[in-house]
Amino acid sequence: MNAFLTISEAKSLDSSDPLRSYREMFHIPKWNKQDCIYLTGNSLGLQPKGAKKAVLQELEDWKVLGVEGHFKAKNPWMPYHEFFSKSIARLCGSLPEEVVSMGSLTANLHFAFASFYRPTKDRQMILCEKKAFPSDRYAIVSQLELHGYGENELIEVAGSDKSGVPDDDEILKAIEKYGDQISVLLIGGVNYFTGRLYDIKKITEAAKIKGINVGWDLAHAMGNTPLSLNKWNVDFAAWCTYKYLNAGPGSTAGLFIHKKHHEKNLPKYAGWWGHNKSSRFKMGTRFDPIKTAEAWQVSNAPVLSMASLRASLDIFDLVPFEQLRNKSLLLSNKLIQMLDDIKNKTGEEIEIITPREDSKRGGQVSVHFVNRDRVFFEKISNLGVFADWREPGTIRMAIAPLYNSFEDISRLEKVIYESLEK
Ligand SMILES: *Cc1c(COP(=O)(O)O)cnc(C)c1O
C-alpha cells in the first residue's frame, strides 16, 4: 500500500503548522498508550488542561468565602457571566452586549421563541430545514402548539440531494415562496448531519426583506466557522459550548440578541438576572429589563459549570480566528482527499456527503461507506478512532483545529486500510 499521507509527511506538515502548540493545551484520551485519533469534537470537545484549575478555583473560593464569594471571589460570582461576553462576541461577530452566557441550547431557543415567535393571523409559519437536529424540531413544534398551531404551520425545506438536507438555493426559494406567511426562520448554521455550512448572510438578508424574524442554531458553527451576526443583521442565535468550544459536558450555552431589539422591551420569559442591576436587590415587584442581551438571562450564573468554559475561551482568545479556520479547512481537505484516494485505490464505495467547496462546509466530514455496516465502524473504533456513527451508515468525523493534526489523518488512513481488509 502506497500511503496518501505518510507519517513523516504528516509530521513535516504539523511542524510548519502555526497552531501546532495548541494541542498541548488539551488532554487527549489514550489508546494503547498513545494518543487516540479524536474526531468527535463536534459532539464533545476535549478538556482544556486549564479546566480543572478553573473549576477548583471556584470550589476553593466557595470553601473559604461562602456567600461572600459573590463579591470577593477571585472572579466574583455576581457579575460572573460578564467575564465571557467579550470572548464570545469575538467568536460570533457581535457586540459584547449582544451575547449572554446562560442556560442550555434548546432552552435558549425557547427563550428566543418567546420573544420572536409572535404569530398573527397572516403570519404564523416557522421555517426550518429538513433533517434539522431533532431537539430543534421538537422545540419548534412545541412552540407552534403553545400558540394553538401545529405541524401544519411548519415549513420544513427539503433538499433534493441524497442527504435530504437543503442547500442555500432551496432555502432561498422557500423564503421567496412562503415569506409573507413566515414569522420565524430557524436553521442550523452548520448542519449536524452533513456538515453543510449555510450562507447565513445571504439567507438572513432574503428573510429580512420578507419581514421574517431570523434565528440561527450555531451548535456546529461556534468556534468552527467565521461569524458576523451583528453585521449580518441576524435577530437571534443560540449555541452550546460543549462541542467545538470544548467547555465540557452540558456546559453553559449562549444566546445572541441583536442590538436593534435591546430597547424594544420585547415580551420575554423574565427573571431577576435580567433585571436592571442597580435596582435588582431592591427586590421590587416590577421587572425592569437590562437594555442588553442580558435581559433574557433569568437566573444567576452556574459558576461551577461556567468555570471550564472560561478555561476554554482563554485558549480561543489567543488564536486569530482566520488561522483556526485555515487549519480546519486544510485538515478536512486532507481528510477528504485521503478518503478519495482510498476509494480510487481499492474500489471501495465511499461517498462523501459533505459539500466539497470550502465555503459550504464547517470542519466536519460525513462519509458513507456504502458496502459496510456498523461492524466496520466498530473496527475503526477498536483501533483508537473516535468518530460518530449515524444510522443508516454515515460516519461523521470532525476536525477541531486546536488539537487535531495531520498525523491524526495519516494514522486514520492506516486504520481504515486495516479495517477494510479484515
Ligand atoms: C448539539 C445540538 C443540540 C443539543 O441541544 P442541548 O440543548 O445542548 O442538549 C441542539 N441542536 C443542535 C443543532 C445541535 O447540534
Side-chain angles (χ1 to χ4, degrees), residues 109-118 143 147 267-269 296:
L109 290 176
H110 282 295
F111 283 117
F113 271 112
S115 299
F116 291 97
Y117 183 52
R118 315 292 304 166
Q143 283 292 332
H147 288 270
K268 64 176 65 67
Y269 292 137
W296 276 261

Side-chain angles (χ1 to χ4, degrees), residues 22-30 35-36 38 44-53 246 315 386 402-403:
Y22 286 85
R23 182 178 170 93
E24 293 301 310
M25 299 180 189
F26 292 87
H27 291 291
I28 317 272
K30 297 287 183 264
D35 289 350
C36 72
Y38 199 81
L44 185 75
L46 288 178
Q47 184 183 136
K49 286 184 180 165
K52 191 170 180 178
K53 186 167 168 242
N246 312 316
I315 299 175
F386 281 71
L402 286 175
Y403 51 77

Side-chain angles (χ1 to χ4, degrees), residues 84-103:
F84 299 74
S85 303
K86 226 174 112 188
S87 308
I88 293 283
R90 190 176 75 96
L91 293 175
C92 70
S94 76
L95 303 167
E97 65 264 33
E98 289 177 313
V99 293
V100 55
S101 289
M102 62 176 250

